[in-house]
Amino acid sequence: MKKFTVVGAGLAGCEAAWQIAESGYPVTLIEMKPIKFSPAHKSENFAELVCSNSLKASRLESAAGLLKEEMFRLGSLTVAVARRCAVPAGGALAVDRNDFSSAVTDMIKNHPNITVENRIFDRIEPEENEILIIATGPLTEESLAQEIQRLCGDCLSFYDAAAPIVTAESVDMTKAFGASRYDRGGDEDYINCPFNKAEYEAFINELINAEGAVVHDFDVYEGCMPIEKLAKRGLDAPRFGPMKPVGLVDPNTGHRPWACVQLRRENSKGTMFNLVGFQTNLKFGEQKRVFTMIPGLENAEFVRYGVMHRNSFLDSPRLLNADFSLRSNENIFFAGQITGVEGYMESAASGIMAGINAVRRAYGEEPLILSENNMIGALSRYISDESVSNFQPMGANFGILPPIEPKIRDKKERYAALGRRALDGLEKAE
Protein backbone atom coordinates (compact mmCIF):
# COMPACT_ATOMS: atom_id res chain seq x y z
CA MET A 1 0.00 0.00 0.00
CA LYS A 2 1.13 3.51 -0.77
CA LYS A 3 2.12 5.78 2.10
CA PHE A 4 0.55 9.26 2.25
CA THR A 5 2.16 12.15 4.14
CA VAL A 6 0.89 15.72 4.39
CA VAL A 7 3.12 18.42 5.88
CA GLY A 8 1.35 21.42 7.41
CA ALA A 9 -2.02 21.58 9.17
CA GLY A 10 -3.25 24.87 7.75
CA LEU A 11 -6.38 25.01 5.62
CA ALA A 12 -4.70 23.39 2.61
CA GLY A 13 -3.01 20.61 4.59
CA CYS A 14 -6.18 19.77 6.50
CA GLU A 15 -8.17 19.59 3.26
CA ALA A 16 -5.53 17.38 1.61
CA ALA A 17 -5.39 14.99 4.56
CA TRP A 18 -9.20 14.93 4.78
CA GLN A 19 -9.58 14.01 1.10
CA ILE A 20 -7.10 11.14 1.41
CA ALA A 21 -8.69 9.89 4.63
CA GLU A 22 -12.22 10.13 3.27
CA SER A 23 -11.07 8.09 0.26
CA GLY A 24 -10.36 5.28 2.72
CA TYR A 25 -6.57 5.50 3.02
CA PRO A 26 -4.41 6.16 6.09
CA VAL A 27 -2.51 9.44 6.03
CA THR A 28 0.01 11.07 8.36
CA LEU A 29 -0.40 14.81 8.96
CA ILE A 30 2.78 16.49 10.23
CA GLU A 31 2.46 19.86 12.03
CA MET A 32 5.24 21.75 13.79
CA LYS A 33 2.92 23.54 16.26
CA PRO A 34 3.11 23.64 19.27
CA ILE A 35 6.83 22.77 19.08
CA LYS A 36 7.44 25.87 16.98
CA PHE A 37 5.24 28.74 15.81
CA SER A 38 5.61 30.99 12.80
CA PRO A 39 5.74 34.78 13.43
CA ALA A 40 2.03 35.06 12.60
CA HIS A 41 0.59 31.99 14.33
CA LYS A 42 -0.48 31.94 17.98
CA SER A 43 -2.93 29.05 18.40
CA GLU A 44 -2.09 25.36 18.71
CA ASN A 45 -5.17 24.52 16.65
CA PHE A 46 -5.15 23.63 12.96
CA ALA A 47 -6.49 25.82 10.13
CA GLU A 48 -5.67 29.00 12.09
CA LEU A 49 -6.92 32.20 10.43
CA VAL A 50 -4.15 34.72 11.00
CA CYS A 51 -5.44 37.64 8.94
CA SER A 52 -9.13 38.37 8.33
CA ASN A 53 -11.92 36.17 9.65
CA SER A 54 -13.86 36.65 6.42
CA LEU A 55 -13.93 33.95 3.75
CA LYS A 56 -15.40 36.51 1.34
CA ALA A 57 -18.75 36.57 -0.44
CA SER A 58 -21.29 33.76 -0.22
CA ARG A 59 -23.57 34.48 -3.17
CA LEU A 60 -23.10 32.23 -6.20
CA GLU A 61 -22.93 35.16 -8.61
CA SER A 62 -19.64 36.15 -6.93
CA ALA A 63 -16.27 34.55 -7.67
CA ALA A 64 -15.66 33.76 -3.99
CA GLY A 65 -19.11 32.28 -3.56
CA LEU A 66 -18.73 30.10 -6.64
CA LEU A 67 -15.35 28.86 -5.40
CA LYS A 68 -16.80 27.81 -2.03
CA GLU A 69 -19.73 26.03 -3.67
CA GLU A 70 -17.37 24.08 -5.94
CA MET A 71 -15.33 23.13 -2.88
CA PHE A 72 -18.40 22.06 -0.94
CA ARG A 73 -19.50 19.79 -3.77
CA LEU A 74 -16.04 18.20 -3.76
CA GLY A 75 -16.40 17.32 -0.07
CA SER A 76 -14.61 20.28 1.48
CA LEU A 77 -13.98 20.07 5.22
CA THR A 78 -13.35 23.78 5.73
CA VAL A 79 -16.41 25.08 3.88
CA ALA A 80 -18.70 22.74 5.81
CA VAL A 81 -17.15 23.79 9.13
CA ALA A 82 -17.18 27.49 8.19
CA ARG A 83 -20.90 27.40 7.49
CA ARG A 84 -21.47 25.94 10.94
CA CYS A 85 -19.22 28.57 12.60
CA ALA A 86 -20.50 31.57 10.65
CA VAL A 87 -21.01 34.98 12.24
CA PRO A 88 -23.21 37.72 10.71
CA ALA A 89 -21.28 39.52 7.94
CA GLY A 90 -23.81 40.74 5.39
CA GLY A 91 -23.27 38.89 2.12
CA ALA A 92 -19.96 37.42 3.25
CA LEU A 93 -19.11 34.15 4.97
CA ALA A 94 -17.21 35.19 8.09
CA VAL A 95 -16.45 32.89 11.00
CA ASP A 96 -15.64 32.94 14.67
CA ARG A 97 -11.99 32.08 14.07
CA ASN A 98 -11.52 30.21 17.34
CA ASP A 99 -14.62 28.07 16.85
CA PHE A 100 -13.63 27.41 13.26
CA SER A 101 -10.07 26.23 13.93
CA SER A 102 -11.17 24.22 16.98
CA ALA A 103 -13.81 22.40 14.96
CA VAL A 104 -11.42 21.63 12.10
CA THR A 105 -8.83 20.37 14.59
CA ASP A 106 -11.34 18.08 16.30
CA MET A 107 -12.51 16.58 13.03
CA ILE A 108 -8.96 15.96 11.81
CA LYS A 109 -7.78 14.42 15.09
CA ASN A 110 -10.86 12.23 15.41
CA HIS A 111 -10.74 10.81 11.89
CA PRO A 112 -9.77 7.14 12.10
CA ASN A 113 -7.57 7.34 8.97
CA ILE A 114 -5.54 10.40 10.06
CA THR A 115 -2.48 10.20 12.31
CA VAL A 116 -1.16 13.56 13.54
CA GLU A 117 2.54 13.97 14.29
CA ASN A 118 3.79 17.16 15.97
CA ARG A 119 7.34 17.67 14.77
CA ILE A 120 9.46 19.85 12.53
CA PHE A 121 9.72 18.41 9.02
CA ASP A 122 12.97 19.55 7.47
CA ARG A 123 14.03 16.96 4.86
CA ILE A 124 12.24 16.29 1.58
CA GLU A 125 13.23 12.67 1.03
CA PRO A 126 10.05 10.71 0.26
CA GLU A 127 10.24 6.94 0.43
CA GLU A 128 9.83 4.91 -2.76
CA ASN A 129 6.18 4.14 -2.02
CA GLU A 130 5.35 7.52 -0.47
CA ILE A 131 3.20 10.34 -1.83
CA LEU A 132 4.16 13.62 -0.14
CA ILE A 133 2.08 16.82 -0.01
CA ILE A 134 3.82 19.97 1.23
CA ALA A 135 1.26 22.49 2.46
CA THR A 136 3.36 24.59 4.82
CA GLY A 137 2.08 27.94 3.68
CA PRO A 138 3.79 31.24 2.95
CA LEU A 139 5.52 31.18 6.36
CA THR A 140 7.33 27.87 5.86
CA GLU A 141 9.81 27.03 8.62
CA GLU A 142 13.33 28.11 7.69
CA SER A 143 15.01 24.70 7.42
CA LEU A 144 12.18 23.34 5.27
CA ALA A 145 12.21 26.50 3.15
CA GLN A 146 15.89 25.83 2.45
CA GLU A 147 14.97 22.27 1.44
CA ILE A 148 12.32 23.61 -0.93
CA GLN A 149 14.88 25.97 -2.41
CA ARG A 150 17.25 23.05 -2.89
CA LEU A 151 14.50 21.06 -4.59
CA CYS A 152 12.86 23.82 -6.61
CA GLY A 153 15.32 26.66 -6.95
CA ASP A 154 14.55 30.25 -5.99
CA CYS A 155 11.20 31.18 -4.44
CA LEU A 156 9.62 34.57 -4.93
CA SER A 157 9.21 36.61 -1.75
CA PHE A 158 6.74 39.27 -0.66
CA TYR A 159 5.33 40.74 2.54
CA ASP A 160 1.84 40.16 3.88
CA ALA A 161 0.01 42.38 6.37
CA ALA A 162 -2.83 41.82 8.84
CA ALA A 163 -5.39 44.31 10.18
CA PRO A 164 -5.94 45.43 13.80
CA ILE A 165 -8.84 44.20 15.96
CA VAL A 166 -10.73 46.39 18.47
CA THR A 167 -13.32 45.64 21.14
CA ALA A 168 -16.90 46.45 20.20
CA GLU A 169 -17.65 48.16 23.51
CA SER A 170 -14.84 50.67 22.98
CA VAL A 171 -16.37 52.02 19.73
CA ASP A 172 -18.27 55.30 20.16
CA MET A 173 -21.61 54.52 18.56
CA THR A 174 -22.73 58.15 18.81
CA LYS A 175 -20.34 58.72 15.89
CA ALA A 176 -20.25 55.26 14.29
CA PHE A 177 -23.29 53.36 13.01
CA GLY A 178 -24.24 49.80 12.18
CA ALA A 179 -25.07 48.98 8.56
CA SER A 180 -24.05 46.78 5.64
CA ARG A 181 -23.43 48.35 2.26
CA TYR A 182 -26.62 48.55 0.19
CA ASP A 183 -28.51 46.96 3.15
CA ARG A 184 -27.00 43.53 2.42
CA GLY A 185 -27.24 41.90 5.83
CA GLY A 186 -28.20 43.08 9.28
CA ASP A 187 -27.11 46.28 10.97
CA GLU A 188 -25.06 44.22 13.44
CA ASP A 189 -22.78 42.80 10.73
CA TYR A 190 -20.61 45.89 10.29
CA ILE A 191 -19.81 49.05 12.23
CA ASN A 192 -19.10 52.10 10.07
CA CYS A 193 -16.90 55.02 11.08
CA PRO A 194 -17.73 57.99 8.82
CA PHE A 195 -15.38 60.86 7.89
CA ASN A 196 -16.13 64.30 6.60
CA LYS A 197 -13.65 65.76 4.12
CA ALA A 198 -11.54 67.64 6.69
CA GLU A 199 -11.32 64.63 9.02
CA TYR A 200 -10.34 62.39 6.14
CA GLU A 201 -7.57 64.64 4.86
CA ALA A 202 -6.12 65.09 8.37
CA PHE A 203 -6.19 61.33 8.88
CA ILE A 204 -4.45 60.58 5.57
CA ASN A 205 -1.76 63.15 6.32
CA GLU A 206 -0.93 61.46 9.63
CA LEU A 207 -1.18 58.00 8.07
CA ILE A 208 1.38 58.63 5.33
CA ASN A 209 3.80 60.29 7.77
CA ALA A 210 3.54 57.63 10.49
CA GLU A 211 6.56 55.48 11.32
CA GLY A 212 6.64 51.94 9.95
CA ALA A 213 7.90 48.94 11.88
CA VAL A 214 10.09 47.44 9.14
CA VAL A 215 12.06 48.84 6.24
CA HIS A 216 12.37 46.38 3.38
CA ASP A 217 12.82 46.14 -0.36
CA PHE A 218 10.22 43.48 -1.11
CA ASP A 219 7.08 44.17 -3.11
CA VAL A 220 3.77 43.79 -1.30
CA TYR A 221 1.09 41.79 -3.09
CA GLU A 222 -1.81 44.06 -4.09
CA GLY A 223 -4.40 42.01 -2.19
CA CYS A 224 -2.58 42.65 1.10
CA MET A 225 -1.43 46.23 0.52
CA PRO A 226 -0.78 48.04 3.85
CA ILE A 227 -3.18 50.94 4.21
CA GLU A 228 -0.34 53.44 4.67
CA LYS A 229 1.31 52.33 1.42
CA LEU A 230 -2.01 52.63 -0.41
CA ALA A 231 -2.45 56.16 1.01
CA LYS A 232 0.92 57.20 -0.41
CA ARG A 233 -0.40 56.51 -3.90
CA GLY A 234 -2.66 59.53 -3.67
CA LEU A 235 -5.02 61.39 -1.36
CA ASP A 236 -8.11 59.65 -2.71
CA ALA A 237 -6.64 56.14 -3.08
CA PRO A 238 -8.05 54.81 0.24
CA ARG A 239 -11.37 56.58 -0.40
CA PHE A 240 -11.77 54.57 -3.60
CA GLY A 241 -10.46 51.43 -1.90
CA PRO A 242 -11.15 50.10 1.62
CA MET A 243 -12.49 53.46 2.81
CA LYS A 244 -15.05 53.83 0.04
CA PRO A 245 -18.37 55.20 1.38
CA VAL A 246 -20.61 53.85 -1.39
CA GLY A 247 -23.77 52.06 -0.32
CA LEU A 248 -23.77 53.75 3.10
CA VAL A 249 -25.80 56.59 4.63
CA ASP A 250 -24.73 58.18 7.92
CA PRO A 251 -27.91 58.40 10.04
CA ASN A 252 -26.42 61.40 11.87
CA THR A 253 -26.31 63.47 8.66
CA GLY A 254 -28.68 61.69 6.29
CA HIS A 255 -25.94 61.74 3.64
CA ARG A 256 -23.21 59.47 2.33
CA PRO A 257 -19.95 60.09 4.22
CA TRP A 258 -16.89 61.53 2.47
CA ALA A 259 -15.07 58.32 3.44
CA CYS A 260 -15.71 55.45 5.81
CA VAL A 261 -13.81 52.77 7.73
CA GLN A 262 -15.79 49.57 8.11
CA LEU A 263 -15.33 47.27 11.09
CA ARG A 264 -16.33 43.65 10.56
CA ARG A 265 -17.51 41.32 13.31
CA GLU A 266 -14.61 39.14 14.45
CA ASN A 267 -16.40 36.57 16.63
CA SER A 268 -19.86 35.08 17.09
CA LYS A 269 -20.57 37.12 20.22
CA GLY A 270 -19.80 40.37 18.42
CA THR A 271 -17.36 41.52 21.11
CA MET A 272 -14.50 42.15 18.67
CA PHE A 273 -14.32 43.80 15.25
CA ASN A 274 -11.48 44.07 12.73
CA LEU A 275 -10.72 47.11 10.61
CA VAL A 276 -11.59 46.00 7.08
CA GLY A 277 -8.76 46.57 4.61
CA PHE A 278 -6.48 48.09 7.25
CA GLN A 279 -3.55 45.72 6.95
CA THR A 280 -0.60 47.72 8.22
CA ASN A 281 3.12 47.82 8.87
CA LEU A 282 3.03 50.76 11.29
CA LYS A 283 4.66 50.53 14.71
CA PHE A 284 2.15 49.61 17.41
CA GLY A 285 2.34 53.05 19.05
CA GLU A 286 1.77 54.72 15.70
CA GLN A 287 -1.22 52.48 15.02
CA LYS A 288 -2.83 53.58 18.26
CA ARG A 289 -2.05 57.26 17.59
CA VAL A 290 -3.24 57.33 13.98
CA PHE A 291 -6.13 54.89 14.08
CA THR A 292 -7.72 56.62 17.08
CA MET A 293 -8.20 59.57 14.70
CA ILE A 294 -10.91 57.50 13.04
CA PRO A 295 -14.30 58.90 14.12
CA GLY A 296 -15.73 56.55 16.73
CA LEU A 297 -12.36 54.96 17.56
CA GLU A 298 -10.98 57.80 19.70
CA ASN A 299 -11.01 55.50 22.74
CA ALA A 300 -10.69 52.19 20.93
CA GLU A 301 -9.25 49.23 22.82
CA PHE A 302 -6.95 47.28 20.50
CA VAL A 303 -6.89 43.56 21.27
CA ARG A 304 -4.48 42.98 18.38
CA TYR A 305 -2.42 45.47 16.42
CA GLY A 306 -1.73 44.95 12.75
CA VAL A 307 1.36 42.90 11.96
CA MET A 308 3.46 42.27 8.89
CA HIS A 309 5.42 39.16 8.02
CA ARG A 310 7.47 37.69 5.21
CA ASN A 311 5.75 35.30 2.84
CA SER A 312 7.19 33.14 0.09
CA PHE A 313 5.64 31.34 -2.85
CA LEU A 314 6.92 29.13 -5.62
CA ASP A 315 7.43 30.17 -9.21
CA SER A 316 4.71 27.60 -9.86
CA PRO A 317 4.33 27.96 -13.66
CA ARG A 318 7.90 26.70 -13.98
CA LEU A 319 7.52 23.98 -11.33
CA LEU A 320 4.01 22.56 -10.94
CA ASN A 321 1.51 20.60 -13.00
CA ALA A 322 -2.17 21.55 -12.97
CA ASP A 323 -2.82 18.73 -10.46
CA PHE A 324 -0.39 20.50 -8.06
CA SER A 325 2.32 17.85 -8.44
CA LEU A 326 5.95 18.76 -8.95
CA ARG A 327 7.04 18.31 -12.57
CA SER A 328 10.45 17.00 -11.56
CA ASN A 329 8.97 14.44 -9.11
CA GLU A 330 5.27 13.74 -9.53
CA ASN A 331 5.07 11.91 -6.20
CA ILE A 332 5.58 15.29 -4.49
CA PHE A 333 2.66 17.73 -4.40
CA PHE A 334 2.41 21.30 -3.12
CA ALA A 335 -0.76 22.97 -1.84
CA GLY A 336 -1.83 26.26 -0.31
CA GLN A 337 -0.51 29.78 -0.61
CA ILE A 338 3.00 28.53 -1.28
CA THR A 339 1.72 27.60 -4.76
CA GLY A 340 0.61 31.17 -5.50
CA VAL A 341 -3.13 30.82 -4.93
CA GLU A 342 -4.12 33.85 -2.87
CA GLY A 343 -6.70 33.62 -0.11
CA TYR A 344 -7.98 31.28 2.58
CA MET A 345 -10.46 29.39 0.42
CA GLU A 346 -8.23 29.35 -2.63
CA SER A 347 -5.55 27.71 -0.48
CA ALA A 348 -8.03 25.20 0.90
CA ALA A 349 -9.24 24.41 -2.62
CA SER A 350 -5.70 23.62 -3.75
CA GLY A 351 -5.46 21.23 -0.79
CA ILE A 352 -8.60 19.46 -1.95
CA MET A 353 -7.16 18.99 -5.42
CA ALA A 354 -3.76 17.88 -4.12
CA GLY A 355 -5.41 15.32 -1.84
CA ILE A 356 -7.65 13.92 -4.57
CA ASN A 357 -4.79 13.74 -7.05
CA ALA A 358 -2.36 12.22 -4.56
CA VAL A 359 -4.68 9.22 -4.28
CA ARG A 360 -5.09 9.06 -8.04
CA ARG A 361 -1.32 9.23 -8.53
CA ALA A 362 -0.75 6.45 -6.02
CA TYR A 363 -3.05 4.07 -7.83
CA GLY A 364 -2.23 4.94 -11.43
CA GLU A 365 -5.40 6.89 -12.25
CA GLU A 366 -5.60 9.97 -14.42
CA PRO A 367 -5.46 13.21 -12.41
CA LEU A 368 -8.60 15.24 -11.78
CA ILE A 369 -8.09 18.58 -13.50
CA LEU A 370 -11.31 20.55 -13.56
CA SER A 371 -12.47 22.51 -16.57
CA GLU A 372 -11.20 26.03 -17.10
CA ASN A 373 -14.88 26.99 -16.75
CA ASN A 374 -14.66 26.07 -13.05
CA MET A 375 -13.09 28.52 -10.60
CA ILE A 376 -10.89 25.79 -9.12
CA GLY A 377 -9.94 24.57 -12.59
CA ALA A 378 -9.04 28.09 -13.74
CA LEU A 379 -6.85 28.64 -10.67
CA SER A 380 -5.15 25.27 -11.21
CA ARG A 381 -4.38 26.23 -14.77
CA TYR A 382 -3.12 29.68 -13.80
CA ILE A 383 -0.52 28.40 -11.35
CA SER A 384 0.71 25.83 -13.90
CA ASP A 385 0.61 28.01 -17.04
CA GLU A 386 4.15 28.15 -18.41
CA SER A 387 3.26 31.21 -20.49
CA VAL A 388 2.85 33.30 -17.32
CA SER A 389 6.18 35.12 -17.15
CA ASN A 390 5.74 37.52 -14.22
CA PHE A 391 3.98 35.21 -11.78
CA GLN A 392 2.03 36.81 -8.94
CA PRO A 393 -0.48 35.26 -6.49
CA MET A 394 -4.01 34.95 -7.83
CA GLY A 395 -7.31 34.76 -5.98
CA ALA A 396 -10.70 33.72 -7.29
CA ASN A 397 -12.08 36.16 -9.85
CA PHE A 398 -14.27 35.96 -12.92
CA GLY A 399 -11.50 37.38 -15.09
CA ILE A 400 -9.72 34.02 -15.17
CA LEU A 401 -12.78 32.19 -16.55
CA PRO A 402 -13.48 32.00 -20.30
CA PRO A 403 -16.20 34.49 -21.28
CA ILE A 404 -19.81 33.55 -21.88
CA GLU A 405 -20.83 33.61 -25.54
CA PRO A 406 -22.81 35.44 -26.67
CA LYS A 407 -21.72 38.14 -24.26
CA ILE A 408 -24.15 39.10 -21.50
CA ARG A 409 -23.98 42.85 -20.93
CA ASP A 410 -25.49 42.96 -17.44
CA LYS A 411 -22.69 42.11 -15.01
CA LYS A 412 -24.86 40.43 -12.42
CA GLU A 413 -26.54 38.27 -15.05
CA ARG A 414 -23.16 37.48 -16.63
CA TYR A 415 -21.66 36.37 -13.32
CA ALA A 416 -24.73 34.26 -12.54
CA ALA A 417 -24.38 32.58 -15.93
CA LEU A 418 -20.69 31.89 -15.33
CA GLY A 419 -21.61 30.30 -12.02
CA ARG A 420 -24.30 28.08 -13.56
CA ARG A 421 -21.91 26.95 -16.29
CA ALA A 422 -19.23 26.11 -13.73
CA LEU A 423 -21.51 24.09 -11.46
CA ASP A 424 -23.14 22.24 -14.36
CA GLY A 425 -19.68 21.28 -15.60
CA LEU A 426 -18.59 20.20 -12.13
CA GLU A 427 -21.51 17.76 -11.89
CA LYS A 428 -20.43 16.16 -15.16
CA ALA A 429 -16.78 15.97 -14.00
CA GLU A 430 -17.85 14.22 -10.80
Side-chain angles (χ1 to χ4, degrees), residues 11-259:
L11 280 79
C14 287
E15 288 280 17
W18 186 260
Q19 287 291 330
I20 296 168
E22 286 288 279
S23 296
Y25 301 102
V27 55
T28 299
L29 177 60
I30 300 173
E31 169 57 45
M32 71 176 185
K33 297 190 302 183
I35 298 168
K36 187 174 183 179
F37 290 81
S38 80
H41 291 85
K42 307 298 180 188
S43 170
E44 293 186 7
N45 285 328
F46 303 160
E48 182 181 357
L49 305 182
V50 300
C51 190
S52 170
N53 68 323
S54 173
L55 306 180
K56 300 181 181 176
S58 294
R59 60 191 186 279
L60 290 179
E61 63 271 19
S62 69
L66 175 60
L67 174 69
K68 287 190 284 292
E69 183 60 25
E70 290 182 4
M71 293 170 62
F72 182 74
R73 296 189 184 194
L74 289 170
S76 170
L77 167 65
T78 59
V79 171
V81 171
R83 289 175 176 175
R84 294 202 303 269
C85 298
V87 298
L93 175 60
V95 299
D96 182 308
R97 69 178 73 211
N98 293 325
D99 290 349
F100 172 78
S101 59
S102 293
V104 171
T105 303
D106 288 344
M107 293 188 72
I108 290 289
K109 287 186 173 181
N110 289 318
H111 198 293
N113 288 336
I114 301 177
T115 300
V116 175
E117 294 183 2
N118 296 107
R119 61 183 174 90
I120 295 173
F121 182 92
D122 58 6
R123 294 296 294 175
I124 304 175
E125 296 176 340
E127 300 173 15
E128 186 175 348
N129 70 331
E130 183 177 15
I131 305 294
L132 175 65
I133 300 177
I134 300 173
T136 49
L139 297 173
T140 296
E141 193 272 333
E142 184 176 356
S143 59
L144 180 55
Q146 292 174 357
E147 272 288 283
I148 294 172
Q149 293 246 353
R150 177 187 65 80
L151 182 68
C152 300
D154 289 339
C155 292
L156 304 177
S157 297
F158 65 103
Y159 270 82
D160 194 10
I165 297 174
V166 300
T167 62
E169 65 181 4
S170 68
V171 179
D172 184 352
M173 296 303 294
T174 65
K175 297 180 178 179
F177 61 95
S180 295
R181 285 195 170 94
Y182 303 108
D183 294 324
R184 291 176 180 166
D187 289 348
E188 74 279 1
D189 296 355
Y190 291 89
I191 294 174
N192 302 277
C193 300
F195 288 79
N196 61 35
K197 184 178 180 181
E199 290 169 337
Y200 174 79
E201 292 179 351
F203 173 73
I204 295 298
N205 181 66
E206 292 301 316
L207 183 62
I208 63 176
N209 290 298
E211 187 176 359
V214 180
V215 176
H216 58 81
D217 297 323
F218 292 87
D219 289 331
V220 179
Y221 175 58
E222 288 287 332
C224 290
M225 178 70 63
I227 185 65
E228 63 273 14
K229 185 168 183 176
L230 177 63
K232 290 177 181 178
R233 292 184 170 182
L235 178 61
D236 285 327
R239 199 164 71 88
F240 286 90
M243 296 180 68
K244 63 186 177 186
V246 295
L248 296 169
V249 175
D250 183 353
N252 291 320
T253 65
H255 300 289
R256 186 175 77 176
W258 182 256

Side-chain angles (χ1 to χ4, degrees), residues 5 55 67 139 145 161 188 197 199 235 238 269 280 286 302 316 320 355 360 373 409:
T5 304
L55 306 180
L67 174 69
L139 297 173
E188 74 279 1
K197 184 178 180 181
E199 290 169 337
L235 178 61
K269 294 182 179 179
T280 181
E286 289 288 79
F302 291 84
S316 294
L320 300 184
R360 292 191 172 210
N373 293 333
R409 298 186 65 87

Side-chain angles (χ1 to χ4, degrees), residues 105 153 253 261 284 299 403:
T105 303
T253 65
V261 172
F284 289 176
N299 298 303

